[in-house]
Amino acid sequence: MKDSTLLVIVDAANVVGSVPDGWWRDRRGAAERLRDRLAAQGVPGREGRPGGTGSVVAAAGRGVGVVRGVGVGGAPGSGGG
């Protein structure tokens, strides 16, 4: 049987924006907190750790660095359509 590794891609803007906790005052900080939570806890509702987790960050969140287990890529636009 072929080894299959789960890769999870997270649209950080949609996840961060789903909770009205003041994220709009510090979008980059909110993206970093999400990245750190994914690195520490993995994917909610899933046992174990995926083979990799990626986060796509739009405009104001750009510049968020990678941490072990979570890659980060910037979206070309500002998000929101």
Side-chain angles (χ1 to χ4, degrees):
M1 184 165 117
K2 182 180 172 187
D3 177 36
S4 61
T5 301
L6 176 66
L7 171 64
V8 177
I9 305 295
V10 177
D11 180 342
N14 278 314
V15 174
V16 167
S18 69
V19 179
D21 62 359
W23 60 265
W24 52 89
R25 291 187 293 268
D26 180 12
R27 293 171 189 238
R28 181 176 174 174
E32 289 171 340
R33 287 188 298 278
L34 173 60
R35 175 209 57 200
D36 294 346
R37 192 169 68 232
L38 288 168
Q41 300 173 5
V43 178
R46 179 158 177 88
E47 295 263 340
R49 311 214 23 99
T53 304
S55 178
V56 178
V57 180
R62 284 194 193 120
V64 173
V66 300
V67 297
R68 184 176 179 174
V70 180
V72 178
S78 62

